[in-house]
Amino acid sequence: MAMPEIRLENLIKRYGTVEVLHGIDLTMQSDEFTVLVGPSGCGKSTTLRMIAGLETVSEGEIFIDDKPISHLDPKERDLAMVFQDYALYPHMDVARNISFALRLQKRPKAEIREKVREVAGIVGLTELLHRKPGELSGGQRQRVAMARALAKDSSIFLFDEPLSNLDAKLRGQMRAELALMSQRVKKNMIYVTHDQVEAMTLADRIVVMHLGRIQQEGTPEELFKNPDNKFVAGFLGSPPMNFLDAELVEEDGQLFACGDAFKIKLPESRKSLVASNKNQITLGIRPSDLNYDHEARDENAFDLKVIVSEYIGAQSVLLCTCGNINVTVELKSETPIALGETLRFAVRPEGLHLFDRTTEKAL
C-alpha cells in the first residue's frame, strides 16, 4: 500500500509579531525517510509540530495526498509521534504502554495482543513486555516509545530528536536499529535532528534548515558533494569543511585562488568566473580532500604546519596552520607526522568548493 505524499506550501509561523518560519515549501514522497536537520532555533521542530497539529499554522497549508489538513485536530491526521522525552506511563508495564492507543480505541483484546507482539519483535522488546519503564535503560525506553507509535499503525511517523537523550554509543546502536526499522516498516518518516551524522546515515532525503528557511534539500550524497551555499557545506561533514578567504587571479591563461600563504590552481571549468567579476571568494576544502604528498607541485598543494594531532583509531585529525588560518586535515593514522613540522598536502581538484564571499552561495 502506497503511503501518502505530504506537501508543505508557503508555511509561515509567527509568535506574535516575530516570524520564525518564512515560507517553507517542501514535498515528501510516499515511503520516504525525510530528515530535517539544522542548528538549534532553525525551525525544524516547529515545522514538525505544525505537521503534527501541535502548533497552529500562521499562513500557508499542509496537504496530505492533496487534502488540506491544517484545520484538523492531531488525532484526525493519521500520524504517530516519537518525542525526545519518552513520555511513558511509569505505572504501566511495557505491553500496556505500547497498547495504550489501541485500548483507547477499544480494539479487540486478541488484536491488541497480536499487535503488541508484532511491534515488540520489530524493536527488540519481546523479553521486556512485563517490565515497568523505571526498570529499563534509556535506549529501551526509547524503543518502547517507538513501539507505541508503531502500534498505532499510522501512515506517517514523526520523530522529534528521539536519540538526543542517549549517550554516544547507544545513539550509534539506536541509529542502526532505526535504519533497519525504516526498511521493514514501509511508512512515511519525518525525523528532526541537529546531528548531521544521524541525518547522513538515516535519510533518503535531507532538508537542511537555517534561520527559518530551507537552505537545500536532496540525498545525503548530493548535499555533501554539491552544497548550494557555505552554510550547508560547513554543516554537513565531520570534521567540518575548511574555509579560506582567497582572491581569483588569472596568470598565463590559468586561474588561481590566492590567499594568505597559498596559491592553488583551479580547474579549467572555473575560468568562466573571471568574466563574472567575482574575484573575492571563499575557498572550501574538506579535511579528507587534503592528502599528504611531499612531492606535490606548488600549484596543487598547501604547505601546512602541524600544531595538533588527534589520534582516533584508523584516522588522525590534524590541526594545522596556513599563514594565519587554521586548517583541519583528516588522514590515515599510520602516516608519520611530527608536531611542529611543515608538510605538503595536495588537494584533489574536485575537492575545491568556491563560494561568493558576500552572498555565501556556491559558485
Side-chain angles (χ1 to χ4, degrees):
M1 184 181 77
M3 289 297 119
E5 179 189 85
I6 305 153
R7 195 168 83 252
L8 314 181
E9 274 191 11
N10 193 32
L11 217 54
I12 291 171
K13 178 64 182 173
R14 296 187 195 91
Y15 293 105
T17 56
V18 180
E19 190 169 291
V20 294
L21 281 184
H22 315 290
I24 300 295
D25 289 306
L26 181 63
T27 300
M28 290 161 272
Q29 303 296 341
S30 175
D31 290 355
E32 191 170 55
F33 197 127
T34 305
V35 178
L36 308 181
V37 67
S40 292
C42 71
K44 56 191 186 297
S45 284
T46 303
T47 304
L48 191 79
R49 290 173 67 82
M50 287 163 82
I51 296 168
L54 302 175
E55 294 273 4
T56 54
V57 173
S58 303
E59 270 183 54
E61 186 54 86
I62 302 163
F63 297 90
I64 294 182
D65 275 349
D66 292 329
K67 294 192 191 93
I69 61 145
S70 64
H71 61 286
L72 296 179
D73 284 341
K75 64 177 183 290
E76 299 171 322
R77 297 189 185 199
D78 189 26
L79 45 81
M81 191 156 181
V82 180
F83 296 94
Q84 180 178 340
D85 55 357
Y86 323 120
L88 303 178
Y89 296 102
H91 61 288
M92 293 183 193
D93 64 16
V94 168
R96 286 180 70 76
N97 264 288
I98 292 173
S99 64
F100 185 74
L102 303 178
R103 287 184 286 114
L104 277 184
Q105 293 166 0
K106 305 263 195 301
R107 299 273 189 93
K109 283 185 178 171
E111 182 190 323
I112 290 174
R113 269 198 308 275
E114 177 56 30
K115 195 69 191 172
V116 168
R117 194 184 60 75
E118 180 194 334
V119 299
I122 289 172
V123 297
L125 287 172
T126 306
E127 308 295 312
L128 304 174
L129 288 172
H130 301 298
R131 289 203 193 168
K132 299 269 178 69
E135 302 169 79
L136 303 177
S137 69
Q140 288 166 337
R141 284 182 215 168
Q142 191 54 279
R143 280 194 210 139
V144 177
M146 287 180 195
R148 182 178 55 193
L150 280 171
K152 275 185 75 179
D153 228 3
S154 304
S155 56
I156 300 163
F157 276 65
L158 308 178
F159 296 89
D160 191 7
E161 306 222 24
L163 308 185
S164 57
N165 287 346
L166 307 179
D167 63 51
K169 185 178 177 187
L170 201 48
R171 285 176 83 152
Q173 184 188 327
M174 290 296 290
R175 219 170 41 228
E177 289 178 11
L178 254 172
L180 277 172
M181 188 183 90
S182 73
Q183 289 167 22
R184 292 170 67 177
V185 182
K186 292 295 184 193
K187 309 276 185 187
N188 288 53
M189 299 198 180
I190 307 172
Y191 187 103
V192 160
T193 181
H194 61 271
D195 184 328
Q196 54 99 13
V197 177
E198 270 174 41
M200 297 287 280
T201 51
L202 287 171
D204 295 320
R205 194 152 57 103
I206 295 177
V207 180
V208 180
M209 297 183 68
H210 184 44
L211 300 176
R213 288 187 167 84
I214 292 176
Q215 301 293 310
Q216 189 176 357
E217 56 172 293
T219 66
E221 187 177 12
E222 283 167 358
L223 269 60
F224 187 79
K225 290 185 174 173
N226 301 303
D228 276 354
N229 57 43
K230 187 180 167 188
F231 178 82
V232 174
F235 191 79
L236 295 180
S238 179
M241 186 181 278
N242 296 297
F243 295 114
L244 302 94
D245 284 346
E247 196 172 335
L248 293 180
V249 176
E250 198 173 14
E251 286 179 12
D252 302 327
Q254 306 275 12
L255 188 62
F256 293 88
C258 302
D260 184 21
F262 68 88
K263 180 179 178 181
I264 297 292
K265 189 172 105 177
L266 298 177
E268 291 282 319
S269 57
R270 296 297 195 165
K271 281 198 180 166
S272 57
L273 290 175
V274 178
S276 65
N277 288 324
K278 303 240 184 253
N279 60 342
Q280 298 291 312
I281 63 155
T282 300
L283 188 63
I285 305 165
R286 295 205 182 276
S288 53
D289 283 328
L290 288 160
N291 301 313
Y292 174 49
D293 182 357
H294 62 92
E295 296 178 346
R297 295 165 60 178
D298 289 358
E299 65 204 29
N300 297 329
F302 291 84
D303 290 320
L304 304 176
K305 183 180 181 182
V306 182
I307 52 173
V308 176
S309 175
E310 295 179 336
Y311 175 81
I312 46 174
Q315 300 294 106
S316 284
V317 176
L318 308 179
L319 181 61
C320 310
T321 55
C322 176
N324 297 318
I325 310 160
N326 286 344
V327 175
T328 306
V329 179
E330 188 179 34
L331 76 174
K332 287 192 168 59
S333 46
E334 64 260 25
T335 313
I337 300 288
L339 296 186
E341 275 191 293
T342 297
L343 303 172
R344 180 156 281 200
F345 292 90
V347 61
R348 299 189 309 122
E350 61 273 28
L352 293 167
H353 299 264
L354 309 184
F355 304 95
D356 184 303
R357 209 183 300 174
T358 309
T359 65
E360 299 195 344
K361 284 189 165 35
L363 296 171

